[in-house]
Amino acid sequence: MLETKIISKSEVLYAGGDDGDTSPATKIFQDFQINEEDVGRGGGLIRSWVDSMRACSPTHLKPFDNQSAWIKEHPSALNMFEEILHESEGKQIVMFLDYDGTLSPIVDDPDRAFMSNKMRNTVRKLAMCFPTVIVSGRSREKVYSFVKLTELYYAGSHGMDIKGPEQNSKYKKKTQSLLCQPATEFLPVISEVYMKLVEKTKSIQGAKVENNKFCASVHFRCVDENKWSDLAHLVRSVLKNYPKLMLTQGRKVLEIRPIIKWDKGKALEFLLESLGYENCTHVFPIYIGDDRTDEDAFKILRDKRQGLGILVSKYAKETNASYSLQEPDEASCLTLYT
């Protein structure tokens, strides 16, 4: 019989505690914190939300060709492939792949973010050579329904729901089925907030709320920019009653998540440890992603000087990644060559 390894709330501290924590989760929470004092400040908090929503929108960023200095600092992973190959020589590569914007194009309807058969075959071949993980803000079940490969590790809900391969992976431990769910206690409140957000945002044309199990997402890609402030007001009106939830932002999406010290970077560390590569010098993690939430993983790799992060973006922006790619098709080419 298989054992199940479970990480629960007893092993995860809340972000923003009394230990002087300055984690990305804490910083974001401080930026977007909602309390009674804020209610009396008028629109200041909402303006800061909308400014951040605009900053996250690629249409408000400068394209690559005007950012030669940025490209020099974050060169194309395809152009630097030989160098990456040399860095990883003799080491065990572990692949971490974001889904939306990395394996699939960003689309208006999040329910139709399908990956191509070519990309699926590339990921399948990759998993035959290296341990391969899909890391996504989507629920684990939703991202699996898109990818449909049983030999992969899946980390859904920004790493708060991790499960190992069901079959056909030579890297799967024979005696243990991997399961990590550090935010289980928040399931009822996330479900409750999701339903309230659905009801509250009905008046905003184009807004779509997605239940991602351990987090909820409010997509505003199809919302008129003039309505972003109204949407922010509605989201705030719900979240002000939930002090243990925080707001983070991605590419035209607001993410409502539990305030715990867990993110995609923590998920990366957990998976490397579970695979037996904790503090190992002969492992070479490669993380490819396109969103703000991937920065936690990029930072872990940069701080440890281990492996590398690759940002998928057509626009220059602040990142902890070492290399860049412009679009999912380039990610497919790189993983095929690896």
Side-chain angles (χ1 to χ4, degrees):
M1 178 178 262
L2 296 179
E3 268 181 52
T4 301
K5 183 174 183 180
I6 302 176
I7 299 292
S8 63
K9 65 177 182 178
S10 62
E11 298 174 70
V12 181
L13 299 175
Y14 288 100
D18 298 326
D19 56 356
D21 175 52
T22 55
S23 67
T26 303
K27 184 179 184 304
I28 291 168
F29 177 60
Q30 290 168 346
D31 289 344
F32 294 104
Q33 189 169 10
I34 306 167
N35 52 41
E36 290 306 314
E37 184 181 349
D38 291 323
V39 174
R41 290 182 185 170
L45 181 66
I46 297 300
R47 282 195 297 272
S48 115
W49 280 24
V50 175
D51 287 344
S52 185
M53 288 161 78
R54 290 195 178 106
C56 286
S57 168
T59 57
H60 293 278
L61 300 173
K62 296 179 181 178
F64 270 0
D65 16 355
N66 297 332
Q67 298 290 325
S68 56
W70 189 92
I71 297 172
K72 187 175 180 180
E73 188 177 350
H74 309 283
S76 166
L78 287 176
N79 294 342
M80 302 299 291
F81 181 72
E82 291 299 325
E83 181 177 310
I84 294 172
L85 207 59
H86 177 71
E87 284 185 59
S88 63
E89 189 174 357
K91 298 180 180 178
Q92 172 64 62
I93 292 175
V94 182
M95 294 296 303
F96 294 86
L97 305 168
D98 179 38
Y99 184 75
D100 292 275
T102 300
L103 297 182
S104 74
I106 296 292
V107 295
D108 289 344
D109 183 352
D111 289 334
R112 299 191 63 79
F114 304 123
M115 69 190 303
S116 66
N117 288 330
K118 178 183 175 183
M119 181 67 84
R120 183 174 293 103
N121 289 333
T122 298
V123 175
R124 181 184 288 112
K125 290 174 183 176
L126 198 64
M128 292 172 65
C129 302
F130 317 114
T132 301
V133 186
I134 306 297
V135 189
S136 175
R138 307 281 196 136
S139 71
R140 176 168 53 82
E141 293 83 0
K142 172 63 76 68
V143 77
Y144 175 79
S145 74
F146 284 140
V147 180
K148 300 175 182 175
L149 295 175
T150 58
E151 58 267 43
L152 308 181
Y153 292 81
Y154 288 89
S157 303
H158 299 290
M160 289 182 282
D161 189 7
I162 300 174
K163 193 173 187 298
E166 294 179 18
Q167 62 182 32
N168 301 330
S169 174
K170 60 184 178 181
Y171 303 101
K172 178 182 177 182
K173 293 183 179 181
K174 293 180 180 178
T175 59
Q176 191 174 74
S177 177
L178 183 66
L179 182 65
C180 171
Q181 295 179 331
T184 303
E185 66 172 301
F186 289 94
L187 282 173
V189 72
I190 291 293
S191 181
E192 180 180 308
V193 166
Y194 162 73
M195 289 186 287
K196 288 185 177 181
L197 287 170
V198 169
E199 188 61 35
K200 281 280 188 180
T201 60
K202 279 182 178 178
S203 60
I204 305 294
Q205 185 175 355
K208 183 177 179 66
V209 185
E210 186 178 15
N211 187 341
N212 286 315
K213 192 169 181 176
F214 293 100
C215 57
S217 304
V218 181
H219 298 272
F220 57 92
R221 181 165 299 278
C222 296
V223 174
D224 187 302
E225 190 169 339
N226 294 323
K227 294 290 184 180
W228 287 6
S229 179
D230 294 340
L231 180 62
H233 271 287
L234 293 173
V235 172
R236 178 193 181 209
S237 71
V238 173
L239 292 190
K240 68 182 181 181
N241 298 316
Y242 296 90
K244 288 188 177 180
L245 298 181
M246 67 178 178
L247 178 79
T248 63
Q249 290 187 235
R251 294 177 64 178
K252 293 192 176 177
V253 61
L254 300 173
E255 305 274 11
I256 293 86
R257 299 159 59 180
I259 304 173
I260 60 172
K261 288 184 179 179
W262 199 269
D263 50 42
K264 289 183 177 181
K266 292 290 186 183
L268 180 147
E269 290 183 309
F270 171 82
L271 281 158
L272 289 177
E273 179 184 350
S274 300
L275 286 163
Y277 298 130
E278 185 184 22
N279 301 320
C280 182
T281 57
H282 65 271
V283 65
F284 194 82
I286 298 176
Y287 190 110
I288 307 178
D290 75 309
D291 209 342
R292 273 191 177 187
T293 56
D294 299 308
E295 290 298 327
D296 296 309
F298 293 155
K299 187 175 188 304
I300 291 288
L301 296 179
R302 172 160 281 191
D303 289 350
K304 289 188 172 183
R305 298 183 178 180
Q306 181 183 54
L308 55 91
I310 301 173
L311 175 70
V312 182
S313 177
K314 290 183 178 180
Y315 305 92
K317 53 187 177 182
E318 186 178 348
T319 181
N320 288 298
S322 303
Y323 297 95
S324 64
L325 294 168
Q326 290 204 32
E327 54 191 23
D329 282 348
E330 289 193 353
S332 176
C333 289
L334 180 71
T335 53
L336 190 60
Y337 294 153
T338 303

